[in-house]
Coordinates of all heavy atoms in Angstrom, one line a residue:
M1 N 103.5 109.0 103.2 CA 103.0 108.4 101.9 C 101.5 108.7 101.9 O 100.7 108.5 102.8 CB 103.2 106.9 101.9 CG 102.7 106.2 100.7 SD 102.9 104.5 100.7 CE 104.7 104.3 100.7
F5 N 92.2 105.4 96.7 CA 91.6 104.0 96.6 C 90.7 103.9 95.4 O 89.9 104.8 95.2 CB 90.9 103.7 97.9 CG 91.8 103.7 99.1 CD1 91.9 104.9 99.9 CD2 92.6 102.6 99.5 CE1 92.7 104.9 101.0 CE2 93.4 102.7 100.6 CZ 93.5 103.8 101.4
H19 N 84.1 99.3 102.7 CA 85.6 99.1 102.7 C 86.2 100.4 102.1 O 87.1 101.0 102.8 CB 85.9 97.9 101.8 CG 87.4 97.5 101.9 ND1 88.0 97.3 103.1 CD2 88.3 97.3 100.9 CE1 89.3 96.9 102.9 NE2 89.5 96.9 101.6
G24 N 89.0 105.6 102.8 CA 89.1 106.9 102.3 C 89.0 107.9 103.5 O 89.8 108.9 103.5
R25 N 88.1 107.7 104.4 CA 87.9 108.6 105.5 C 89.1 108.5 106.5 O 89.6 109.5 107.0 CB 86.6 108.3 106.3 CG 85.4 108.5 105.4 CD 84.1 108.3 106.2 NE 83.9 109.3 107.2 CZ 82.9 109.3 108.1 NH1 82.0 108.3 108.1 NH2 82.7 110.2 109.0
G40 N 72.8 106.3 100.5 CA 72.3 106.0 101.9 C 73.4 106.3 103.0 O 73.1 106.0 104.1
R58 N 82.1 95.0 83.5 CA 83.0 93.8 83.7 C 83.7 93.4 82.5 O 84.2 92.3 82.3 CB 82.1 92.6 84.2 CG 81.0 92.8 85.2 CD 81.5 93.7 86.4 NE 82.6 93.2 87.0 CZ 83.5 93.9 87.6 NH1 83.5 95.2 87.5 NH2 84.6 93.4 88.2
R77 N 96.1 115.1 92.6 CA 95.7 115.4 94.0 C 96.9 115.1 95.0 O 96.8 115.2 96.2 CB 94.5 114.6 94.5 CG 93.2 114.9 93.7 CD 92.0 114.1 94.2 NE 90.8 114.4 93.5 CZ 90.0 115.5 93.7 NH1 90.3 116.3 94.7 NH2 88.9 115.7 93.0
D80 N 100.6 109.3 96.4 CA 101.8 108.5 96.0 C 101.5 107.1 95.5 O 102.2 106.6 94.7 CB 102.7 108.4 97.2 CG 103.1 109.8 97.8 OD1 103.8 110.5 97.0 OD2 102.8 110.1 98.9
V81 N 100.4 106.5 96.1 CA 100.0 105.2 95.7 C 98.5 105.1 95.5 O 97.8 105.6 96.4 CB 100.4 104.2 96.8 CG1 100.0 102.7 96.5 CG2 101.9 104.2 97.1
A147 N 94.2 81.7 104.4 CA 94.0 80.9 103.2 C 94.4 81.7 102.0 O 95.0 81.1 101.1 CB 92.5 80.5 103.2
Q151 N 97.2 80.7 99.1 CA 96.9 80.7 97.7 C 97.7 81.6 96.8 O 98.3 81.2 95.8 CB 95.4 81.0 97.5 CG 94.5 79.9 98.0 CD 93.0 80.4 98.2 OE1 92.8 81.6 98.2 NE2 92.1 79.5 98.3
S153 N 100.6 82.7 97.5 CA 102.0 82.3 97.6 C 102.3 81.2 96.5 O 103.5 80.9 96.3 CB 102.3 81.8 99.0 OG 102.2 82.8 99.9
G187 N 64.4 95.0 126.1 CA 63.7 95.4 124.9 C 62.9 94.1 124.3 O 62.3 93.4 125.1
Y191 N 67.0 87.5 119.8 CA 66.9 86.9 118.5 C 68.3 86.4 118.0 O 69.3 87.0 118.4 CB 66.2 87.7 117.5 CG 66.9 89.1 117.2 CD1 67.9 89.3 116.3 CD2 66.4 90.2 117.9 CE1 68.5 90.5 116.1 CE2 67.0 91.5 117.7 CZ 68.0 91.6 116.8 OH 68.5 92.9 116.6
K202 N 75.8 80.3 102.7 CA 75.9 80.7 104.1 C 75.2 79.7 105.0 O 75.1 80.0 106.2 CB 75.3 82.1 104.2 CG 76.1 83.2 103.6 CD 75.5 84.6 103.8 CE 76.3 85.7 103.2 NZ 75.7 87.0 103.4
G221 N 69.7 89.8 108.3 CA 70.0 91.2 107.9 C 70.2 91.3 106.4 O 71.2 91.8 105.9
I292 N 79.2 84.7 119.3 CA 79.3 84.3 117.9 C 79.3 82.8 117.8 O 80.0 82.1 118.5 CB 80.7 84.9 117.2 CG1 80.8 86.4 117.3 CG2 80.8 84.4 115.8 CD1 79.8 87.1 116.5
R299 N 86.7 78.8 111.0 CA 87.5 78.8 112.2 C 88.8 79.6 112.1 O 89.2 80.3 113.0 CB 87.9 77.3 112.6 CG 88.8 77.2 113.8 CD 89.3 75.8 114.0 NE 88.3 74.9 114.5 CZ 88.0 74.8 115.8 NH1 88.8 75.5 116.7 NH2 87.1 74.0 116.3
V302 N 88.4 83.4 112.9 CA 88.1 83.8 114.3 C 89.4 84.1 115.1 O 90.2 83.1 115.2 CB 87.2 82.8 115.0 CG1 86.9 83.3 116.4 CG2 85.9 82.6 114.2
L309 N 81.8 80.0 119.7 CA 81.4 78.6 119.6 C 81.6 78.1 118.2 O 81.1 78.7 117.2 CB 80.0 78.3 120.1 CG 79.7 78.6 121.5 CD1 78.2 78.3 121.8 CD2 80.6 77.8 122.4
V310 N 82.4 77.1 118.0 CA 82.6 76.5 116.6 C 81.9 75.2 116.5 O 82.1 74.3 117.4 CB 84.2 76.4 116.4 CG1 84.4 75.8 115.0 CG2 84.9 77.7 116.6
K341 N 91.2 95.1 122.0 CA 92.5 95.6 121.6 C 93.0 94.9 120.3 O 93.5 95.6 119.4 CB 93.6 95.3 122.7 CG 95.0 95.8 122.3 CD 96.0 95.5 123.4 CE 97.4 96.1 123.1 NZ 97.9 95.7 121.8
H342 N 92.7 93.6 120.1 CA 93.0 92.9 118.9 C 92.3 93.5 117.7 O 92.9 93.7 116.7 CB 92.6 91.4 119.0 CG 92.8 90.7 117.8 ND1 94.0 90.1 117.4 CD2 92.0 90.4 116.7 CE1 93.9 89.5 116.2 NE2 92.7 89.7 115.8
L343 N 91.0 93.9 117.9 CA 90.3 94.4 116.8 C 90.8 95.8 116.4 O 90.9 96.2 115.2 CB 88.8 94.5 117.1 CG 88.1 93.1 117.2 CD1 86.7 93.3 117.8 CD2 88.0 92.5 115.8
D345 N 93.8 97.0 116.9 CA 95.1 96.9 116.3 C 95.1 96.2 114.9 O 96.0 96.6 114.1 CB 96.0 96.0 117.2 CG 96.4 96.7 118.5 OD1 96.2 97.9 118.6 OD2 96.8 96.0 119.4
Y349 N 90.0 100.8 110.7 CA 90.4 101.5 109.5 C 91.7 102.3 109.7 O 92.6 102.3 108.8 CB 89.3 102.5 109.0 CG 88.1 101.7 108.4 CD1 86.9 101.8 109.0 CD2 88.2 100.9 107.3 CE1 85.8 101.1 108.5 CE2 87.1 100.3 106.8 CZ 85.9 100.4 107.4 OH 84.8 99.7 106.9
H352 N 94.7 100.0 109.8 CA 94.8 99.4 108.4 C 95.6 100.3 107.5 O 96.5 99.9 106.8 CB 93.5 99.0 107.9 CG 93.5 98.2 106.6 ND1 93.6 96.8 106.7 CD2 93.5 98.5 105.3 CE1 93.6 96.3 105.5 NE2 93.6 97.3 104.6
Q355 N 99.2 100.5 108.6 CA 99.9 99.3 108.2 C 100.2 99.3 106.7 O 101.2 98.8 106.2 CB 99.1 98.0 108.6 CG 99.1 97.8 110.1 CD 98.1 96.8 110.6 OE1 97.6 96.0 109.7 NE2 97.8 96.7 111.8

Side-chain angles (χ1 to χ4, degrees):
M1 181 184 293
F5 299 97
H19 191 53
R25 295 183 71 182
R58 319 313 305 147
R77 295 183 184 276
D80 300 299
V81 178
Q151 290 166 341
S153 297
Y191 59 86
K202 291 183 178 179
I292 302 290
R299 177 186 284 275
V302 177
L309 294 179
V310 182
K341 182 179 186 304
H342 174 88
L343 291 169
D345 290 345
Y349 289 115
H352 191 86
Q355 292 168 12

